[in-house]
Amino acid sequence: MPGRLLRGLWQRWRRYKYRFVPWIALNLSHNPRTLRYVPEESKDKVTSDEDVLGTLLKVFQALFLNDFNKQSEILTMLPESVKSKYQDLLAVEHQGVKLLENRHQQQSTFKPEEILYKTLGFSVAQATSSLISAGKGVFVTKGLVPKGAVVSMYPGTVYQKYEPIFFQSIGNPFIFRCLDGVLIDGNDKGISKVVYRSCNGRDRLGPLKMSDSTWLTSEIHNPLAVGQYVNNCSNDRAANVCYQEFDVPAVFPIELKQYLPNIAYSYDKHSPLRCVVLVALRDINQGEELFSNYYTIVS
C-alpha cells in the first residue's frame, strides 16, 4: 500500500514539476531548451495584435454563422446594420438562401472543429500526450498550422495581481502568470470551475453571453479553447508554440463575446479583458503535439 501511494505521488510530481516555479528556477541551466528569451515586454509578440484579433473574429464569426438558427434572441438585440451584415454573409455562404427570412428552415451545421478547419485550414484537439505520465496534450488533428498562426487559446478566469486566488491555486497546475502579474486560472475542475461559472452568469446580459463556459464541458463551442493542456517542451521536444498576451479591444463585437473563453474575476468596465493565445513558432504538421515554453525570461 505505501509503495502504491508513493508511486502515485511520484507520477503526480512528474506531471506537475514543470509548472512548479522553484523547481524550474533550480533547473534552468540543465534545460536550456525549455526557456524562451525576449528582449523586453513590448517585443514579446510573434504576431501582431491586429493579426490575432483578425483570426479570432474570423473564427468566431464562422462559429456564429454555423449556429445561426440558435441566435434568434441575440439577433433581436442587434442593430439592423449588423443583422443585415450576417444576412448577406449567409446569403453568400448558402448560395443565396437568406436564413433571416427562413428561420424555420433546417440548416446543416458542422462541428466546431470542422468550422476551425474550414476557416483556418487546421484543427486541434485534446488527446493523450506523447510524453510519459504527462496526461493530456493538444495535437494538430487535421491540416497544417503555418508559422505565426494562432493555434489555440488559454481559457480561464482572469485575476489581477491584488485579487484573491489562494484557495483556487492549491494543487492547481493550470495557473498562468502573464508578464505584468495578471493570472489566468485554466483549471476546468473544482473551485476554479465554480468561480468561472459564477462570473459567467454574473456578466450575462439577457441572451448576450460575455464569455464561453463550454470549455468546462466535453462539448466545447470554441475549438481553440484547449491551450491549458499544451505541455511544456524539453530538451528532446522543442517548443513549436509560444504564449502571447492579447487584450480584447472595446470594439469587439458583442454578439461574438459568447466565444471568448476568458472572464474577469471582478467586474471592471475600465480594464480590457486579458486573453492569452498560443502562436506557432514554425509550421506544424498534422499529427504533431503542441509544446510550449512554460518559462519566459524577459531581460
Side-chain angles (χ1 to χ4, degrees), residues 71-274:
Q71 308 287 357
S72 57
E73 287 188 86
I74 293 176
L75 288 169
T76 61
M77 303 185 68
L78 300 179
E80 285 298 326
S81 59
V82 177
K83 286 192 283 188
S84 297
K85 179 190 74 172
Y86 287 117
Q87 181 176 0
D88 293 341
L89 289 171
L90 279 167
V92 172
E93 186 171 324
H94 297 283
Q95 299 180 346
V97 177
K98 298 185 177 182
L99 296 185
L100 279 175
E101 299 174 0
N102 301 278
R103 292 184 184 221
H104 302 294
Q105 182 175 327
Q106 286 291 101
Q107 176 191 4
S108 60
T109 58
F110 297 92
K111 294 180 179 179
E113 56 269 26
E114 293 173 331
I115 293 298
L116 182 61
Y117 177 73
K118 286 163 58 74
T119 306
L120 299 184
F122 63 85
S123 60
V124 294
Q126 300 176 35
T128 302
S129 176
S130 60
L131 298 176
I132 299 175
S133 301
K136 294 181 180 180
V138 178
F139 292 80
V140 178
T141 54
K142 192 175 181 181
L144 171 72
V145 180
K147 179 180 178 180
V150 174
V151 67
S152 64
M153 302 180 71
Y154 198 100
T157 307
V158 181
Y159 293 82
Q160 299 300 318
K161 292 182 286 186
Y162 51 83
E163 292 177 330
I165 195 174
F166 175 77
F167 289 107
Q168 298 92 308
S169 68
I170 296 175
N172 183 355
F174 296 105
I175 303 291
F176 181 94
R177 185 183 186 278
C178 297
L179 293 174
D180 59 1
V182 170
L183 302 173
I184 300 179
D185 181 4
N187 195 355
D188 57 8
K189 297 178 178 64
I191 298 176
S192 302
K193 180 177 182 178
V194 173
V195 170
Y196 188 95
R197 285 192 182 278
S198 176
C199 295
N200 177 263
R202 174 201 66 198
D203 290 359
R204 182 167 179 164
L205 300 174
L208 292 170
K209 298 177 182 178
M210 297 297 104
S211 65
D212 173 31
S213 62
T214 64
W215 64 273
L216 298 168
T217 71
S218 59
E219 300 293 330
I220 300 177
H221 290 179
N222 175 3
L224 293 173
V226 293
Q228 79 275 37
Y229 284 110
V230 173
N231 284 304
N232 190 39
C233 63
S234 65
N235 289 332
D236 299 323
R237 309 286 184 93
N240 51 20
V241 297
C242 69
Y243 299 103
Q244 182 167 315
E245 298 166 21
F246 171 74
D247 288 337
V248 179
V251 295
F252 198 89
I254 193 168
E255 71 274 11
L256 300 182
K257 288 185 176 182
Q258 61 182 296
Y259 301 110
L260 288 171
N262 298 99
I263 195 164
Y265 176 75
S266 295
Y267 185 70
D268 185 356
K269 295 182 179 179
H270 304 293
S271 299
L273 178 67
R274 173 65 53 80

Side-chain angles (χ1 to χ4, degrees), residues 41-56:
E41 292 183 24
S42 62
K43 296 182 180 179
D44 187 29
K45 303 283 185 182
V46 175
T47 188
S48 68
D49 285 346
E50 290 75 17
D51 287 342
V52 172
L53 177 61
T55 297
L56 296 185

Side-chain angles (χ1 to χ4, degrees), residues 261-298:
N262 298 99
I263 195 164
Y265 176 75
S266 295
Y267 185 70
D268 185 356
K269 295 182 179 179
H270 304 293
S271 299
L273 178 67
R274 173 65 53 80
C275 290
V276 170
V277 298
L278 284 87
V279 180
L281 293 171
R282 60 168 174 81
D283 290 352
I284 307 174
N285 296 310
Q286 180 175 321
E288 285 193 71
E289 183 173 359
L290 304 184
F291 293 103
S292 62
N293 294 95
Y294 283 178
Y295 201 88
T296 298
I297 293 181
V298 181

